[in-house]
mmCIF file of all heavy atoms in Angstrom:
data_model
loop_
_atom_site.group_PDB
_atom_site.id
_atom_site.type_symbol
_atom_site.label_atom_id
_atom_site.label_comp_id
_atom_site.label_asym_id
_atom_site.label_seq_id
_atom_site.Cartn_x
_atom_site.Cartn_y
_atom_site.Cartn_z
ATOM 1 N N LEU A 503 6.375 4.757 23.047
ATOM 2 C CA LEU A 503 5.676 3.473 22.964
ATOM 3 C C LEU A 503 6.648 2.302 23.167
ATOM 4 O O LEU A 503 6.352 1.349 23.902
ATOM 5 C CB LEU A 503 4.983 3.354 21.607
ATOM 6 C CG LEU A 503 4.272 2.030 21.315
ATOM 7 C CD1 LEU A 503 3.064 1.848 22.231
ATOM 8 C CD2 LEU A 503 3.841 1.976 19.839
ATOM 9 N N PHE A 504 7.812 2.386 22.529
ATOM 10 C CA PHE A 504 8.782 1.282 22.606
ATOM 11 C C PHE A 504 9.807 1.476 23.729
ATOM 12 O O PHE A 504 10.691 0.655 23.905
ATOM 13 C CB PHE A 504 9.504 1.122 21.266
ATOM 14 C CG PHE A 504 8.607 0.637 20.161
ATOM 15 C CD1 PHE A 504 8.143 1.511 19.180
ATOM 16 C CD2 PHE A 504 8.211 -0.686 20.113
ATOM 17 C CE1 PHE A 504 7.312 1.069 18.165
ATOM 18 C CE2 PHE A 504 7.379 -1.136 19.101
ATOM 19 C CZ PHE A 504 6.923 -0.257 18.122
ATOM 20 N N ARG A 505 9.693 2.581 24.467
ATOM 21 C CA ARG A 505 10.583 2.886 25.591
ATOM 22 C C ARG A 505 12.050 2.942 25.139
ATOM 23 O O ARG A 505 12.930 2.323 25.719
ATOM 24 C CB ARG A 505 10.400 1.860 26.722
ATOM 25 C CG ARG A 505 8.991 1.843 27.299
ATOM 26 C CD ARG A 505 8.827 0.835 28.426
ATOM 27 N NE ARG A 505 9.157 -0.512 27.984
ATOM 28 C CZ ARG A 505 10.158 -1.213 28.492
ATOM 29 N NH1 ARG A 505 10.911 -0.721 29.458
ATOM 30 N NH2 ARG A 505 10.397 -2.431 28.047
ATOM 31 N N ILE A 506 12.280 3.735 24.077
ATOM 32 C CA ILE A 506 13.619 3.900 23.516
ATOM 33 C C ILE A 506 14.126 5.304 23.845
ATOM 34 O O ILE A 506 13.511 6.292 23.432
ATOM 35 C CB ILE A 506 13.613 3.709 21.986
ATOM 36 C CG1 ILE A 506 12.996 2.351 21.607
ATOM 37 C CG2 ILE A 506 15.018 3.863 21.430
ATOM 38 C CD1 ILE A 506 13.715 1.154 22.158
ATOM 39 N N PRO A 507 15.231 5.448 24.581
ATOM 40 C CA PRO A 507 15.782 6.777 24.844
ATOM 41 C C PRO A 507 16.314 7.408 23.553
ATOM 42 O O PRO A 507 17.041 6.756 22.789
ATOM 43 C CB PRO A 507 16.938 6.499 25.821
ATOM 44 C CG PRO A 507 16.720 5.111 26.323
ATOM 45 C CD PRO A 507 15.997 4.382 25.249
ATOM 46 N N ARG A 508 15.960 8.642 23.290
ATOM 47 C CA ARG A 508 16.417 9.313 22.075
ATOM 48 C C ARG A 508 17.945 9.383 22.015
ATOM 49 O O ARG A 508 18.531 9.417 20.930
ATOM 50 C CB ARG A 508 15.805 10.719 21.997
ATOM 51 C CG ARG A 508 16.209 11.501 20.771
ATOM 52 C CD ARG A 508 15.504 12.839 20.701
ATOM 53 N NE ARG A 508 14.190 12.719 20.071
ATOM 54 C CZ ARG A 508 13.977 12.826 18.764
ATOM 55 N NH1 ARG A 508 15.005 13.023 17.950
ATOM 56 N NH2 ARG A 508 12.764 12.735 18.261
ATOM 57 N N ALA A 509 18.592 9.372 23.176
ATOM 58 C CA ALA A 509 20.053 9.514 23.224
ATOM 59 C C ALA A 509 20.802 8.404 22.503
ATOM 60 O O ALA A 509 21.968 8.578 22.144
ATOM 61 C CB ALA A 509 20.517 9.578 24.680
ATOM 62 N N VAL A 510 20.161 7.249 22.262
ATOM 63 C CA VAL A 510 20.872 6.143 21.600
ATOM 64 C C VAL A 510 20.786 6.223 20.082
ATOM 65 O O VAL A 510 21.476 5.468 19.384
ATOM 66 C CB VAL A 510 20.339 4.757 22.035
ATOM 67 C CG1 VAL A 510 20.437 4.583 23.538
ATOM 68 C CG2 VAL A 510 18.918 4.506 21.539
ATOM 69 N N LEU A 511 19.970 7.118 19.543
ATOM 70 C CA LEU A 511 19.671 7.104 18.113
ATOM 71 C C LEU A 511 20.723 7.826 17.277
ATOM 72 O O LEU A 511 21.273 8.843 17.691
ATOM 73 C CB LEU A 511 18.313 7.764 17.859
ATOM 74 C CG LEU A 511 17.110 7.117 18.544
ATOM 75 C CD1 LEU A 511 15.863 7.934 18.245
ATOM 76 C CD2 LEU A 511 16.935 5.684 18.088
ATOM 77 N N PRO A 512 20.975 7.342 16.062
ATOM 78 C CA PRO A 512 21.900 8.033 15.161
ATOM 79 C C PRO A 512 21.230 9.201 14.450
ATOM 80 O O PRO A 512 19.999 9.292 14.366
ATOM 81 C CB PRO A 512 22.273 6.935 14.150
ATOM 82 C CG PRO A 512 21.068 6.046 14.120
ATOM 83 C CD PRO A 512 20.506 6.057 15.518
ATOM 84 N N THR A 513 22.057 10.098 13.912
ATOM 85 C CA THR A 513 21.579 11.175 13.055
ATOM 86 C C THR A 513 21.168 10.585 11.708
ATOM 87 O O THR A 513 21.805 9.657 11.208
ATOM 88 C CB THR A 513 22.696 12.209 12.831
ATOM 89 O OG1 THR A 513 23.087 12.731 14.099
ATOM 90 C CG2 THR A 513 22.245 13.337 11.930
ATOM 91 N N ILE A 514 20.101 11.125 11.113
ATOM 92 C CA ILE A 514 19.601 10.630 9.832
ATOM 93 C C ILE A 514 20.052 11.552 8.708
ATOM 94 O O ILE A 514 19.887 12.774 8.794
ATOM 95 C CB ILE A 514 18.066 10.533 9.836
ATOM 96 C CG1 ILE A 514 17.583 9.639 10.983
ATOM 97 C CG2 ILE A 514 17.552 10.005 8.497
ATOM 98 C CD1 ILE A 514 16.090 9.706 11.209
ATOM 99 N N ARG A 515 20.602 10.970 7.627
ATOM 100 C CA ARG A 515 21.061 11.741 6.474
ATOM 101 C C ARG A 515 20.468 11.167 5.184
ATOM 102 O O ARG A 515 19.900 10.089 5.180
ATOM 103 C CB ARG A 515 22.590 11.735 6.412
ATOM 104 C CG ARG A 515 23.232 12.384 7.637
ATOM 105 C CD ARG A 515 24.748 12.364 7.576
ATOM 106 N NE ARG A 515 25.319 12.947 8.803
ATOM 107 C CZ ARG A 515 26.590 12.892 9.132
ATOM 108 N NH1 ARG A 515 27.470 12.282 8.331
ATOM 109 N NH2 ARG A 515 27.020 13.456 10.251
ATOM 110 N N ASP A 516 20.658 11.912 4.090
ATOM 111 C CA ASP A 516 20.293 11.402 2.773
ATOM 112 C C ASP A 516 21.090 10.141 2.462
ATOM 113 O O ASP A 516 22.127 9.862 3.072
ATOM 114 C CB ASP A 516 20.608 12.438 1.697
ATOM 115 C CG ASP A 516 19.607 13.576 1.644
ATOM 116 O OD1 ASP A 516 18.590 13.526 2.363
ATOM 117 O OD2 ASP A 516 19.855 14.533 0.879
ATOM 118 N N CYS A 517 20.637 9.410 1.456
ATOM 119 C CA CYS A 517 21.381 8.213 1.035
ATOM 120 C C CYS A 517 22.724 8.585 0.423
ATOM 121 O O CYS A 517 23.708 7.850 0.582
ATOM 122 C CB CYS A 517 20.560 7.409 0.029
ATOM 123 S SG CYS A 517 18.981 6.833 0.667
ATOM 124 N N ALA A 518 22.777 9.668 -0.302
ATOM 125 C CA ALA A 518 24.038 10.195 -0.824
ATOM 126 C C ALA A 518 24.377 11.432 -0.010
ATOM 127 O O ALA A 518 23.663 12.438 -0.065
ATOM 128 C CB ALA A 518 23.915 10.537 -2.305
ATOM 129 N N ALA A 519 25.424 11.348 0.788
ATOM 130 C CA ALA A 519 25.791 12.432 1.699
ATOM 131 C C ALA A 519 27.238 12.236 2.133
ATOM 132 O O ALA A 519 27.860 11.202 1.859
ATOM 133 C CB ALA A 519 24.867 12.439 2.923
ATOM 134 N N GLU A 520 27.763 13.240 2.810
ATOM 135 C CA GLU A 520 29.113 13.126 3.372
ATOM 136 C C GLU A 520 28.970 12.510 4.766
ATOM 137 O O GLU A 520 28.571 13.173 5.714
ATOM 138 C CB GLU A 520 29.782 14.503 3.437
ATOM 139 C CG GLU A 520 29.973 15.163 2.078
ATOM 140 C CD GLU A 520 30.896 14.375 1.153
ATOM 141 O OE1 GLU A 520 31.790 13.661 1.649
ATOM 142 O OE2 GLU A 520 30.719 14.472 -0.081
ATOM 143 N N PHE A 521 29.294 11.237 4.871
ATOM 144 C CA PHE A 521 29.159 10.514 6.123
ATOM 145 C C PHE A 521 30.448 10.484 6.933
ATOM 146 O O PHE A 521 30.511 9.806 7.958
ATOM 147 C CB PHE A 521 28.705 9.076 5.847
ATOM 148 C CG PHE A 521 27.264 8.957 5.451
ATOM 149 C CD1 PHE A 521 26.895 8.927 4.117
ATOM 150 C CD2 PHE A 521 26.261 8.873 6.412
ATOM 151 C CE1 PHE A 521 25.562 8.812 3.745
ATOM 152 C CE2 PHE A 521 24.929 8.760 6.052
ATOM 153 C CZ PHE A 521 24.570 8.738 4.713
ATOM 154 N N GLY A 522 31.464 11.197 6.512
ATOM 155 C CA GLY A 522 32.743 11.179 7.205
ATOM 156 C C GLY A 522 33.788 10.439 6.385
ATOM 157 O O GLY A 522 33.527 9.987 5.265
ATOM 158 N N THR A 523 34.977 10.320 6.946
ATOM 159 C CA THR A 523 36.069 9.621 6.262
ATOM 160 C C THR A 523 36.583 8.491 7.141
ATOM 161 O O THR A 523 36.471 8.528 8.364
ATOM 162 C CB THR A 523 37.223 10.584 5.947
ATOM 163 O OG1 THR A 523 37.690 11.173 7.164
ATOM 164 C CG2 THR A 523 36.778 11.671 4.990
ATOM 165 N N THR A 524 37.142 7.500 6.496
ATOM 166 C CA THR A 524 37.681 6.370 7.240
ATOM 167 C C THR A 524 38.924 6.793 8.012
ATOM 168 O O THR A 524 39.655 7.698 7.602
ATOM 169 C CB THR A 524 38.059 5.220 6.302
ATOM 170 O OG1 THR A 524 39.096 5.649 5.413
ATOM 171 C CG2 THR A 524 36.858 4.747 5.500
ATOM 172 N N ASP A 525 39.144 6.139 9.133
ATOM 173 C CA ASP A 525 40.396 6.304 9.867
ATOM 174 C C ASP A 525 41.539 5.925 8.919
ATOM 175 O O ASP A 525 41.540 4.820 8.373
ATOM 176 C CB ASP A 525 40.379 5.394 11.085
ATOM 177 C CG ASP A 525 41.597 5.549 11.982
ATOM 178 O OD1 ASP A 525 42.680 5.884 11.471
ATOM 179 O OD2 ASP A 525 41.468 5.293 13.189
ATOM 180 N N PRO A 526 42.509 6.823 8.674
ATOM 181 C CA PRO A 526 43.575 6.524 7.709
ATOM 182 C C PRO A 526 44.336 5.242 8.005
ATOM 183 O O PRO A 526 44.871 4.613 7.085
ATOM 184 C CB PRO A 526 44.487 7.752 7.811
ATOM 185 C CG PRO A 526 43.626 8.842 8.362
ATOM 186 C CD PRO A 526 42.654 8.160 9.261
ATOM 187 N N ALA A 527 44.380 4.844 9.275
ATOM 188 C CA ALA A 527 45.132 3.639 9.629
ATOM 189 C C ALA A 527 44.473 2.366 9.117
ATOM 190 O O ALA A 527 45.132 1.325 9.011
ATOM 191 C CB ALA A 527 45.291 3.557 11.148
#
Side-chain angles (χ1 to χ4, degrees):
L503 176 67
F504 292 104
R505 299 181 302 117
I506 305 300
R508 180 176 275 271
V510 303
L511 300 177
T513 300
I514 303 169
R515 298 179 183 170
D516 284 354
C517 300
E520 298 297 331
F521 286 95
T523 58
T524 63
D525 184 330

